[in-house]
Amino acid sequence: MPSADKKKLLSALAANWQAEMEGFHTYTALAVAESDPHRRNALRGLATAEKHHAELWAGRIQALGGTEPQYTGDPNGQADSLANRIGGSDLALRRLEIDEGRDIAKYGQQLKALGDEPSIAILQEVIADEREHFATLGNLIRSRGALPSLPPEQAQAALDDLVAARNKGHAQTASWVGDAIYGINDGLGSIFGIVSGVSGATLGNSHFVLIAGMAGMVASALSMGSGAYLAAKSEREIYEAEFAREKEAVEDNEAEAREILSLSYQIRGLPEEDAQRFVDHIAKDKTQLIRALARERLSTTEEGLSKPMVSAISGALSTAVGAFIPIIPFFFLNGIPAVIVAAIVSLIAHFAVGAAKSLITIRSWWASGFEMTWIGALEGVVTYVIGMGLGKLGGG
């Protein structure tokens, strides 16, 4: 195994060991504080299992020639953390249940990434145990009665942790990245077509090509930026209008609004009793009820709306960048050589932009790149031929 890969593997195994030891100390501290004998024994069993996992990781680390790991966490693990003290032991167990689910996801990712058969064998054993731990914690919580409610800020933190674990290893892109890629593609395609057409009509006269290309670049950038701004602004205005309508509807007839929301959840498969209970809970906060109704009507949330200025700037700048690429050769060359170089540069740019689209799609980079390249080539040939025909008709 190359030294770089070995170092990376040892780092991952050491992190696993540290996490298991923290779990051991957490369950041990919770067992000491637990008054119910059944729950105390269950927590001791979980602590023993976590210690066994740590020993497995320590053994593999030493087999790979690594140094014996040292625990650097709190002696009581997470048991004394503020998050666990709020709400008592039941809330502590519920948070640990979430952590166990997150650990299962993390280890599942490592199955694909470690590339070390002995470590993978340990992972498979650990994952099976963690699934049992998840079920055990669920039984311990529910055996006490009703589940404790997570405060909103802790629920949000738990959601963020789970989403981060699920998304780990997958490319994530901001919404403006998609706008930028679309803008580059639009500018590149439209100005490449203009350059090809004018080149065909003027046999590559750089003076006319630059005038047409620069004018087209400015027009395309302004058009894309203003269009993106107006689209994002309209989307936000529509949401605000719908929110206002739903607010008025709730104020006029809250019972009807509740029924609409309940039926929408039932359509998705939630039993009527559960849907009604869920709606009753949401309706305790009128603003949340209105937002839920607006979300059902528009299939979006306020957080999911694009920011008009961000969309405008990313759209305009990316379009200008894409539009400028086919023009560059005509600053230095003239005639047919300029046309050939412009075509080559533009097709390379088409491939690069197509490959970049794989950041926000599930297609492979090469397939997306080749698709955009042949479309760009077809566009260039068609507009060049049309330009030649127009040039002849005009006596060029």
Side-chain angles (χ1 to χ4, degrees), residues 27-274:
Y27 287 125
T28 299
L30 290 174
V32 170
E34 179 58 56
S35 58
D36 183 275
H38 171 71
R39 290 162 66 94
R40 183 168 59 246
N41 288 336
L43 290 169
R44 286 174 177 168
L46 292 172
T48 300
E50 297 291 293
K51 185 67 177 296
H52 174 62
H53 295 166
E55 291 171 351
L56 291 175
W57 293 127
R60 184 56 190 153
I61 290 171
Q62 293 175 353
L64 289 168
T67 58
E68 183 177 353
Q70 299 295 321
Y71 180 63
T72 58
D74 189 282
N76 290 328
Q78 301 181 50
D80 293 336
S81 69
L82 178 62
N84 286 340
R85 286 203 300 269
I86 297 175
S89 60
D90 280 346
L91 186 55
L93 292 179
R94 189 173 184 195
R95 287 186 59 81
L96 288 172
E97 183 185 31
I98 293 173
D99 287 343
E100 291 289 354
R102 182 175 56 188
D103 289 341
I104 292 170
K106 179 187 73 174
Y107 286 142
Q109 290 292 329
Q110 288 187 4
L111 281 174
K112 307 172 186 177
L114 288 186
D116 178 59
E117 288 301 325
S119 298
I120 290 175
I122 296 174
L123 273 176
Q124 291 171 338
E125 178 181 343
V126 170
I127 289 174
D129 289 346
E130 296 292 352
R131 286 174 176 155
E132 291 184 6
H133 296 179
F134 185 84
T136 299
L137 286 168
N139 291 333
L140 288 177
I141 295 169
R142 290 156 184 81
S143 65
R144 186 87 85 178
L147 284 171
S149 298
L150 282 172
E153 63 276 7
Q154 293 188 19
Q156 183 63 54
L159 175 61
D160 292 341
D161 286 345
L162 291 173
V163 171
R166 172 176 288 185
N167 291 339
K168 188 175 182 181
H170 299 279
Q172 300 294 310
T173 57
S175 60
W176 65 266
V177 175
D179 293 336
I181 291 177
Y182 176 74
I184 292 175
N185 178 44
D186 183 77
L188 180 62
S190 60
I191 304 306
F192 181 46
I194 291 175
V195 168
S196 298
V198 176
S199 296
T202 65
L203 298 179
N205 187 306
S206 61
H207 176 71
F208 294 112
V209 172
L210 286 173
I211 292 175
M214 294 296 290
M217 180 186 74
V218 173
S220 294
L222 292 176
S223 175
M224 178 63 72
S226 60
Y229 175 84
L230 292 173
K233 193 169 185 294
S234 297
E235 183 183 32
R236 188 169 293 272
E237 289 173 348
I238 290 171
Y239 178 85
E240 291 172 352
E242 187 62 35
F243 186 90
R245 279 192 290 270
E246 295 301 340
K247 182 179 180 180
E248 184 179 352
V250 169
E251 291 173 349
D252 291 344
N253 192 343
E254 183 177 332
E256 182 185 63
R258 288 191 182 200
E259 184 65 19
I260 290 173
L261 194 57
S262 175
L263 289 171
S264 69
Y265 292 142
Q266 291 176 48
I267 290 172
R268 295 183 181 183
L270 202 63
E272 180 179 356
E273 183 179 350
D274 293 339

Side-chain angles (χ1 to χ4, degrees), residues 334-375:
N334 194 22
I336 299 301
V339 176
I340 294 173
V341 173
I344 293 173
V345 170
S346 297
L347 291 177
I348 292 173
H350 272 90
F351 182 85
V353 174
K357 282 175 59 180
S358 63
L359 292 171
I360 54 175
T361 67
I362 61 173
R363 297 189 65 188
S364 63
W365 62 270
W366 58 268
S368 183
F370 276 118
E371 179 184 56
M372 189 162 290
T373 301
W374 77 259
I375 291 175

